[in-house]
Amino acid sequence: MADIEKIQPERITPSDKSDDGQAAPGSELPTLSKYQAAAQDIDPIIEKRVMRKVDWRLMPILGFLMAFSIIDRNSLEFISNIMIRWAGVKVFLTVTTFLWGLVYVCSGFSKNWQTLAALRALLGIFEAGFQPASIYILGVWYTRNEVMTRLGIYYSFSLVLGGFSAILATGFTKMEGLGGVAGWSWIFIMEGLLTIILSFGAWFLLIDFPDRNNFLSAEETKIVLARIDADRGDATYDALTWSKIVKYTFEAKLWGFAILFFCACMPSYALSTFLPVILGSMGWGVTKTELMVAPPFLVALIVMLICSRLSDHYRLRAPFIIFASIVCLIGFLMVAWCEGNGVRYTGAFLGFSGASANVVGTIAYQNNNLVGQSKRSYSAALTSTLSGISGIVATTVFRQQDFPRYRPGAIATVVTQIIAIFIVVVMTVAFHMKNRAVRNGTAKAPIEGTEGFFYTL
């Protein structure tokens, strides 16, 4: 690929900015109008062709890797997002995927709970960095009004696998006694082997960051970078330093995004874990229960993709998050308090659809309202940390003694959705006021230190 520095429009480099992301003394603030003018020269047909090329190269492999990383993601997030830039996307994600697959295979040969616990700890370490790294990568390739659709496609792989994982696991247990290995062990062994095979494919399919990719031509790369700069002016990488970490830690909106993601993930974790148990309590046999688990996942997939597309089309995030939270809230109330299997089963559809749409919606809301790769990296790690915590909380509040209705857990989930709605309303009002101040010329500084940037509501 040709030297990218020669084809990029003139822009402020990381050395021109202070650690807080603002322009250094004596240098100009990033101005989107300059980048937008340059982007107007891009042929729309060529632009569409280039981004479809990126879609087909980036989305399937990331989605499949995500689908095999749906268990532990609650530690080492910050380190992973620093390492991925240092090691490169291909090396970092391929190696971590191979290692967690290897650990999963080894888990199938565990002879006692101590060994299994130690392997589970290793699994958590290797899987932990995948989600924040993937969110970070997607955020730097796409513009703000197209990222939610891509996030929806990315998460759809997990929903499809999640819907059929029980059936897949049951199939592997049929290998009971083969080679003298127990049926439950074959679940670990086979799923681990599939992950390892996938990691080899990832080595050849994964692409690096836009400024370091080697699958687009120089002219195509120029188009991608020009689009990002015209959208938010941060196509150039700025390193995540310790001073930035300290500053971002005290930035309120980053915690708002993280708490929103916690509220979105908790009901998703709860239903993913307890839906088979809840359906089993309705009197269905094991086989029917396994079959009935899949439809809520598939409907959630459709709802998530529709919400993602509409949200990108109208360039709005908050209304869709609020709508999905209400749908999720109603669903959990139906599962816990309504009578009749049909009504409760319908509640599972609503609960999971609302939660899944919000997982994507909150990430897009976060991604749209930040400028700077270091801030995106930090925020992705923070949200993934709280996502991991939400999984722990879900398994804590949905207690075995509350079977079959799990009402205390349902109440906790309803509360998280009310909190999510409150946070979205507060943040959106604040963003609207800031946008209005900038448009009226009364703002003390440009939003995110970038002239021409406005928050997405």
Side-chain angles (χ1 to χ4, degrees), residues 90-124:
K90 177 188 294 188
V91 173
F92 180 82
L93 292 185
T94 299
V95 171
T96 54
T97 303
F98 173 82
L99 290 174
W100 91 56
L102 182 62
V103 170
Y104 218 62
V105 170
C106 292
S107 299
F109 296 99
S110 300
K111 301 300 182 183
N112 51 63
W113 71 266
Q114 293 94 336
T115 302
L116 186 60
L119 289 170
R120 289 290 294 170
L122 280 176
L123 187 65

Side-chain angles (χ1 to χ4, degrees), residues 364-378:
Y365 189 52
Q366 167 212 55
N367 238 293
N368 284 186
N369 293 307
L370 300 176
V371 173
Q373 293 191 28
S374 65
K375 183 177 284 190
R376 291 173 183 277
S377 172
Y378 178 93

Side-chain angles (χ1 to χ4, degrees), residues 21-142:
Q22 306 296 318
S27 63
E28 297 180 358
L29 285 170
T31 304
L32 294 189
S33 59
K34 176 178 65 176
Y35 298 137
Q36 290 165 352
Q40 288 177 353
D41 296 331
I42 299 174
D43 186 322
I45 296 177
I46 297 176
E47 177 186 3
K48 186 175 182 179
R49 174 177 58 79
V50 170
M51 295 317 297
R52 288 292 175 269
K53 189 174 180 180
V54 173
D55 285 342
W56 282 107
R57 186 63 182 267
L58 184 62
M59 302 308 303
I61 186 61
L62 270 186
F64 273 118
L65 292 174
M66 172 62 181
F68 281 84
S69 174
I70 56 177
I71 303 172
D72 298 310
R73 309 180 192 97
N74 53 4
S75 61
L76 301 182
E77 281 90 353
F78 295 100
I79 296 176
S80 72
N81 274 10
I82 295 174
M83 288 183 63
I84 192 170
R85 186 74 198 191
W86 171 74
V89 175
K90 177 188 294 188
V91 173
F92 180 82
L93 292 185
T94 299
V95 171
T96 54
T97 303
F98 173 82
L99 290 174
W100 91 56
L102 182 62
V103 170
Y104 218 62
V105 170
C106 292
S107 299
F109 296 99
S110 300
K111 301 300 182 183
N112 51 63
W113 71 266
Q114 293 94 336
T115 302
L116 186 60
L119 289 170
R120 289 290 294 170
L122 280 176
L123 187 65
I125 291 173
F126 294 136
E127 284 189 326
F130 183 83
Q131 181 175 349
S134 297
I135 294 171
Y136 175 32
I137 294 165
L138 289 172
V140 300
W141 270 99
Y142 295 103

Side-chain angles (χ1 to χ4, degrees), residues 308-329:
S308 298
R309 187 67 190 94
L310 290 175
S311 182
D312 272 349
H313 177 74
Y314 291 106
R315 303 188 181 188
L316 290 171
R317 305 300 183 214
F320 289 92
I321 295 174
I322 293 172
F323 169 76
S325 294
I326 293 173
V327 170
C328 179
L329 182 155

Side-chain angles (χ1 to χ4, degrees), residues 304-356:
M304 180 184 68
L305 291 176
I306 292 174
C307 287
S308 298
R309 187 67 190 94
L310 290 175
S311 182
D312 272 349
H313 177 74
Y314 291 106
R315 303 188 181 188
L316 290 171
R317 305 300 183 214
F320 289 92
I321 295 174
I322 293 172
F323 169 76
S325 294
I326 293 173
V327 170
C328 179
L329 182 155
I330 293 172
F332 271 83
L333 291 176
M334 291 172 64
V335 170
W337 276 277
C338 287
E339 300 298 332
N341 290 347
V343 178
R344 295 182 66 203
Y345 189 46
T346 301
F349 280 85
L350 294 177
F352 206 51
S353 294
S356 299

Side-chain angles (χ1 to χ4, degrees), residues 167-233:
I167 298 174
L168 186 66
T170 300
F172 289 145
T173 60
K174 302 299 182 182
M175 300 171 70
E176 173 79 39
L178 183 64
V181 178
W184 67 266
S185 295
W186 278 113
I187 297 175
F188 288 104
I189 296 169
M190 294 305 296
E191 291 186 359
L193 288 174
L194 287 174
T195 304
I196 290 174
I197 293 171
L198 185 61
S199 72
F200 287 117
W203 178 263
F204 297 100
L205 296 176
L206 279 171
I207 59 177
D208 214 322
F209 294 92
D211 59 316
R212 298 190 340 194
N213 85 87
N214 59 6
F215 88 103
L216 294 177
S217 68
E219 191 62 31
E220 290 172 331
T221 299
K222 179 180 178 180
I223 291 173
V224 171
L225 295 173
R227 295 172 76 252
I228 298 303
D229 272 335
D231 181 58
R232 56 182 182 267

